[in-house]
Amino acid sequence: MTVTRWKAASIHFGLCAVLYVVLLYLMVFHWYPQPYFAADGGWEGVRLITGVDLVLGPLLTLIVFKAGKPGLRRDLTFIGIVQTVALVWGTWLVYDQRIAMVTYADGTFYTLTNEQLHSAGGKALQIAEQAKTIPPYGFVRLPADRRERQKLRLETLLQGTTVHQLGDRYEPLEKSNLQEVLAQGQNAEQYASKSEGNRQELERFLSRHGGKAENYAFLPLTCRYQELLLALRRADGNVVDSLKIHKAPPAATNPADA
């Protein structure tokens, strides 16, 4: 039975699809988990892997394959090498840019890439390695004294960095500091009153997760591609979801800064 180029490309596509499903699982559940997937590079990673894995190899096979063609084995070997190199590079890039930690600092949650986590230094890597959650969660302990906090903010600004990258001040986000975070939760109704879109977003959130808005602490979340609200359940402090909210009001005032 003669193998046509379309059948050869289909076989190649099927083999690639198996690997693609594995990579997609890793991206969705480990490297860019919800509720950060869309806001922090998940779709960009999917597009890259799709192009390299599902499109590049099968398309080249479709172009060059012809039953009985002299040097066909050499051509297919070359295609396999090219796709493997491209796939390894693309997978490494997606993995290296994964969400390595989500850190709370000064009233806001921030996502950190692997590179940013290493740049933070201090206790950041240790906390990430010992965490039991995906992604790990960190907490930046600022000075208790208001003047010292303002001094630290100014120093980090002059150094061209931010307080959420001060790894020497990192702590795991846990019971000892979780209440401080929940206390900063903002009133979602203030956001909802800004626009009908915000109101609908809040209603969809409550429809999915139940309860009332006051059952959740809503805090600003800064990702690479979007700025959202991160919702934590007040009863246990667990991250529930994120909301696409626009025209947000000013951040809640830290009582210690008053």
Side-chain angles (χ1 to χ4, degrees):
M1 179 180 176
T2 303
V3 178
T4 66
R5 66 175 60 201
W6 285 102
K7 185 172 182 179
S10 298
I11 293 173
H12 193 163
F13 180 86
L15 294 174
C16 291
V18 174
L19 179 59
Y20 180 78
V21 170
V22 174
L23 292 175
L24 192 62
Y25 169 82
L26 290 173
M27 283 189 285
V28 172
F29 294 102
H30 291 272
W31 300 345
Y32 301 87
Q34 295 290 9
Y36 311 101
F37 185 86
D40 210 72
W43 284 120
E44 285 70 20
V46 168
R47 285 195 286 267
L48 177 60
I49 296 299
T50 300
V52 171
D53 188 30
L54 291 184
V55 178
L56 177 63
L59 180 61
L60 290 176
T61 297
L62 180 65
I63 293 173
V64 306
F65 188 89
K66 183 179 181 181
K69 173 185 174 183
L72 179 60
R73 179 174 296 181
R74 179 199 60 206
D75 292 344
L76 294 179
T77 300
F78 178 74
I79 290 173
I81 293 173
V82 170
Q83 184 179 13
T84 300
V85 171
L87 185 58
V88 169
W89 171 82
T91 302
W92 167 251
L93 184 62
V94 172
Y95 174 77
D96 190 55
Q97 292 298 308
R98 72 191 185 281
I99 303 170
M101 179 176 279
V102 178
T103 300
Y104 176 85
D106 223 1
T108 300
F109 279 95
Y110 300 87
T111 58
L112 276 69
T113 65
N114 188 48
E115 180 182 357
Q116 291 171 329
L117 182 64
H118 279 76
S119 297
K123 304 174 185 176
L125 284 174
Q126 180 182 354
I127 292 173
E129 291 171 355
Q130 296 177 351
K132 298 180 180 179
T133 60
I134 301 176
Y137 287 88
F139 176 92
V140 177
R141 174 66 63 186
L142 298 181
D145 181 74
R146 184 175 68 86
R147 291 184 179 180
E148 289 298 318
R149 283 197 303 277
Q150 297 290 21
K151 180 181 178 182
L152 180 63
R153 291 165 182 152
L154 180 59
E155 288 176 351
T156 54
L157 180 63
L158 293 176
Q159 293 170 0
T161 184
T162 59
V163 292
H164 78 272
Q165 292 178 309
L166 299 177
D168 58 330
R169 291 184 169 275
Y170 273 30
E171 301 175 4
L173 183 58
E174 52 191 11
K175 290 183 178 180
S176 61
N177 47 44
L178 184 58
Q179 290 305 315
E180 296 180 46
V181 176
L182 296 177
Q184 293 302 300
Q186 300 178 15
N187 184 356
E189 292 297 334
Q190 293 181 355
Y191 291 94
S193 65
K194 294 295 180 178
S195 71
E196 182 59 26
N198 287 357
R199 168 66 63 182
Q200 293 176 0
E201 179 72 3
L202 178 60
E203 290 176 352
R204 284 192 292 267
F205 169 83
L206 294 176
S207 177
R208 289 195 302 269
H209 301 289
K212 300 179 180 179
E214 52 264 33
N215 298 139
Y216 304 92
F218 298 93
L219 294 118
L221 169 65
T222 298
C223 299
R224 277 175 284 184
Y225 297 96
Q226 297 178 21
E227 292 190 356
L228 309 171
L229 277 186
L230 190 64
L232 286 74
R233 189 179 293 108
R234 289 191 179 277
D236 53 21
N238 288 337
V239 172
V240 178
D241 205 344
S242 61
L243 291 78
K244 293 182 180 179
I245 295 291
H246 305 284
K247 296 181 180 179
T253 302
N254 190 326
D257 289 342

